Amino acid sequence: MKKRKAMRKAEKIRSSVSQGITFNKSAGQHILKNPLIVNSIVEKAGLRSTDTVLEVGPGTGNLTVKLLEKCKKVVACEVDSRLVAELRKRVQGTPLASRLDVAVGNVLRADLPYFDVCVANLPFQISSPFVFKLLLHRPFFRCAVLMFQREFALRLVASPGEKMYCRLSLNTQLLARVSHIMKVGKNNFRPPPRVESSVVRLEPRNPPPPVSFQEWDGLVRIAFIRKNKTLSAAFKSKVVLDMMEKNYRVHASLLGMTIMEEFSAAQQIEKVLQENEFAKKRAREMDIDDFLKLLHCFNSAGFHFA
């Protein structure tokens, strides 16, 4: 028994160490080691020889090297100085070195550089904030091919009525066309993560939908607090009513409108939902067009979410 435990511990240590580097699993450092998967990701990105590619979390450079062979330039964003040194060492003295630009630091805290395509094996814990930083970035890029935890990827591509459909699904699909490319098993990484992964392709909608994302997200956030509840029930929450009445009064003041003493936000909100046949609808069943219509109805009645 003790011998088996010792063997497992030794194997765990070997799996988390490569070329003298101990990978930090808590920081999401899982290096993609399967060259077939690496090649497939690069192929799905549809790179051109003139492209600048943004890579986040390059690790030891297995994916970076393949990208450098296909494009004009790779901007690799890495927070771990040990891996930065390993990456630079890997291309040192080769023709690829002049095409690599390493940005050291947290990609969420810095402005993104110009790029045509984004390709990344993302640290899992930054998946959601990075997706929206990416999709709200300007100028537009052509596409992104990104590795996520399987469950997160399934949420991105979920459709109305499906179990995984959520606010993340709706917000992402408002801003981009999303497709699931392939599943990637945990044994394709070193060290192996605890969960399975998937690769997803995002293509920004250009031009973007004619709607304020802050307004949109404010509405969607309320609707998905309890996605199985009717919208009528969701908008009866005291917190929601107080927020919407405050926003109503602020916008009325900006427009120089007079609000009657008998004004009731709760009654007006219910009126909007009833008259436009949304009162009995549930967020889990509504698509982008439904939410765009609902947002227009609220805005037309003077209610805003940002």
Side-chain angles (χ1 to χ4, degrees):
M1 186 69 175
K2 289 183 179 180
K3 186 176 180 180
R4 284 200 298 271
K5 285 184 178 180
M7 290 175 65
R8 284 198 297 267
K9 185 176 181 180
E11 177 59 31
K12 188 175 181 181
I13 292 172
R14 282 195 297 272
S15 70
S16 63
V17 178
S18 175
Q19 301 171 11
I21 296 175
T22 301
F23 297 120
N24 184 355
K25 292 198 283 186
S26 65
Q29 292 180 346
H30 300 280
I31 307 303
L32 182 60
K33 66 180 183 178
N34 187 330
L36 295 178
I37 305 263
V38 170
N39 290 338
S40 184
I41 289 174
V42 174
E43 178 186 342
K44 295 298 183 181
L47 298 179
R48 302 167 187 169
S49 60
T50 55
D51 281 340
T52 294
V53 177
L54 173 67
E55 185 185 10
V56 180
T60 56
N62 292 345
L63 182 55
T64 315
V65 169
K66 291 298 181 182
L67 294 172
L68 288 167
E69 292 172 353
K70 294 286 186 178
C71 67
K72 177 182 176 182
K73 179 182 178 181
V74 172
V75 180
C77 299
E78 177 57 64
V79 72
D80 191 327
S81 58
R82 302 170 309 147
L83 295 179
V84 169
E86 184 66 29
L87 182 59
R88 285 176 171 154
K89 179 181 176 183
R90 186 161 182 173
V91 297
Q92 188 176 12
T94 74
L96 301 179
S98 62
R99 301 184 198 174
L100 176 64
D101 182 5
V102 182
V104 184
N106 188 327
V107 70
L108 297 180
R109 297 177 184 171
D111 293 334
L112 297 179
Y114 171 83
F115 62 96
D116 301 291
V117 175
C118 178
V119 181
N121 172 21
L122 284 173
F124 293 154
Q125 58 267 46
I126 71 167
S127 295
S128 185
F130 182 73
V131 163
F132 290 104
K133 185 179 180 75
L134 195 63
L135 293 180
L136 296 172
H137 174 71
R138 300 294 180 269
F140 283 99
F141 56 95
R142 193 165 69 250
C143 75
V145 179
L146 308 172
M147 181 89 71
F148 297 114
Q149 281 188 3
R150 178 78 46 78
E151 184 176 323
F152 185 89
L154 293 178
R155 287 177 180 170
L156 288 179
V157 301
S159 299
E162 293 180 352
K163 181 180 179 181
M164 302 298 285
Y165 188 62
C166 60
R167 175 173 156 239
L168 175 67
S169 321
L170 196 63
N171 283 352
T172 306
Q173 292 169 33
L174 174 78
L175 300 173
R177 287 175 287 276
V178 191
S179 55
H180 185 281
I181 292 178
M182 61 179 162
K183 298 177 180 179
V184 182
K186 61 182 74 173
N187 290 330
N188 292 290
F189 299 89
R190 185 178 60 245
R194 293 182 178 180
V195 296
E196 304 295 324
S197 301
S198 282
V199 178
V200 171
R201 180 183 171 97
L202 304 174
E203 296 179 42
R205 297 190 188 276
N206 186 8
V211 61
S212 160
F213 183 74
Q214 286 71 31
E215 280 256 24
W216 166 273
D217 188 47
L219 168 61
V220 172
R221 188 186 297 269
I222 292 170
F224 274 92
I225 289 174
R226 294 288 185 272
K227 68 178 182 179
N228 295 323
K229 277 190 173 184
T230 63
L231 291 185
S232 182
F235 280 89
K236 283 177 181 174
S237 158
K238 186 179 186 305
V239 173
V240 171
L241 289 174
D242 288 348
M243 179 274 292
M244 292 189 68
E245 180 166 351
K246 179 181 178 181
N247 285 358
Y248 184 93
R249 292 184 180 279
V250 168
H251 281 270
S253 175
L254 292 173
L255 296 173
M257 292 172 50
T258 301
I259 300 176
M260 300 297 181
E261 287 186 13
E262 63 272 20
F263 171 78
S264 167
Q267 290 178 6
Q268 291 301 313
I269 291 169
E270 185 65 20
K271 181 180 178 183
V272 169
L273 295 173
Q274 293 288 352
E275 289 184 353
N276 296 284
E277 300 181 346
F278 280 107
K280 294 183 179 180
K281 289 193 174 183
R282 304 172 195 274
R284 69 182 185 196
E285 302 163 342
M286 295 170 61
D287 61 17
I288 289 174
D289 289 341
D290 290 328
F291 277 100
L292 286 173
K293 180 181 177 182
L294 180 59
L295 181 59
H296 175 73
C297 292
F298 272 124
N299 287 170
S300 298
F303 289 101
H304 294 268
F305 299 87

